[in-house]
Amino acid sequence: MTVDFQNECGEKLDIDLYEIALRVIEATLDDLGCPYESAVGLLITDNEEIHRLNLEHRQIDRPTDVLSFPMVDFDVPGEFDWLETDGDDYFDPDSGELLLGDIVISADKVLEQAREYGHSVTREYAFLITHSMLHLLGYDHMTPEDAALMEQRQEKILQDLQILR
């Protein structure tokens, strides 16, 4: 597994961002039974930059906590079988890794939401990575049923990691 990790915020969150990200990404892939070595980009930024990206890519003029930029077009969330026959474009030709996409997280929002929800910075950061990884793997929350399925999977992954509220 490759995580292209970039931290534009220095020590703002005062936790081991890279180590936590590796654990959460690996746990999410394992939970879904991903049969491939995978690659994910992860950028930790601030409200100003995520606001700019949110406006540019989603036409929403405010900062958000996390943005997901999936590279794989899953018809069924977390279903990998079709990649054997139709997925050549989704693999890095040099490493052979499945290129899942990119995650952008606002460190400012991590701090703000950890305080707001009354849990640790680690929990909030891990939650946002889990949430975004599920988006990269085809999950969404556009309907109440899809949202419930995604929330259930998020909670299971975080509980398995013992990253609790």
Side-chain angles (χ1 to χ4, degrees):
M1 175 179 70
T2 300
V3 176
D4 180 12
F5 179 80
Q6 296 176 44
N7 180 4
E8 295 179 346
C9 291
E11 299 301 315
K12 185 179 258 187
L13 296 179
D14 198 31
I15 57 175
D16 190 340
L17 297 169
Y18 183 70
E19 179 59 35
I20 294 166
L22 287 178
R23 285 181 53 222
V24 171
I25 291 168
E26 187 172 320
T28 304
L29 293 170
D30 288 349
D31 186 72
L32 291 171
C34 179
Y36 304 106
E37 288 297 315
S38 301
V40 175
L42 175 59
L43 171 64
I44 311 303
T45 192
D46 58 19
N47 274 351
E48 183 178 333
E49 178 60 13
I50 209 162
H51 182 166
R52 185 189 70 73
L53 292 169
N54 204 23
L55 182 59
E56 178 182 331
H57 293 281
R58 299 175 62 220
Q59 292 70 53
I60 298 176
D61 192 12
R62 66 177 183 271
T64 189
D65 51 5
V66 63
L67 291 170
S68 308
F69 298 98
M71 293 182 68
V72 180
D73 298 318
F74 286 92
D75 287 333
V76 177
E79 175 58 53
F80 300 95
D81 293 343
W82 64 275
L83 289 165
E84 286 294 319
T85 55
D86 297 325
D88 288 346
D89 292 342
Y90 300 114
F91 291 89
D92 182 302
D94 296 323
S95 70
E97 291 176 311
L98 178 61
L99 301 171
L100 291 174
D102 296 312
I103 299 169
V104 181
I105 293 177
S106 167
D108 298 322
K109 288 289 188 183
V110 171
L111 291 171
E112 176 186 317
Q113 291 175 177
R115 279 190 301 271
E116 180 181 332
Y117 299 129
H119 54 239
S120 71
V121 170
T122 297
R123 167 69 161 102
E124 186 63 21
Y125 177 67
F127 169 80
L128 293 175
I129 293 171
T130 306
H131 183 86
S132 192
M133 279 298 297
L134 291 174
H135 279 309
L136 297 186
L137 294 162
Y139 285 80
D140 215 325
H141 41 79
M142 300 303 284
T143 68
E145 296 80 16
D146 291 344
L149 181 64
M150 191 171 178
E151 288 168 17
Q152 198 173 30
R153 184 143 318 243
Q154 287 167 172
E155 283 304 313
K156 179 190 180 304
I157 293 165
L158 292 169
Q159 283 186 359
D160 289 349
L161 286 167
Q162 290 297 296
I163 302 176
L164 309 171
R165 292 178 189 254

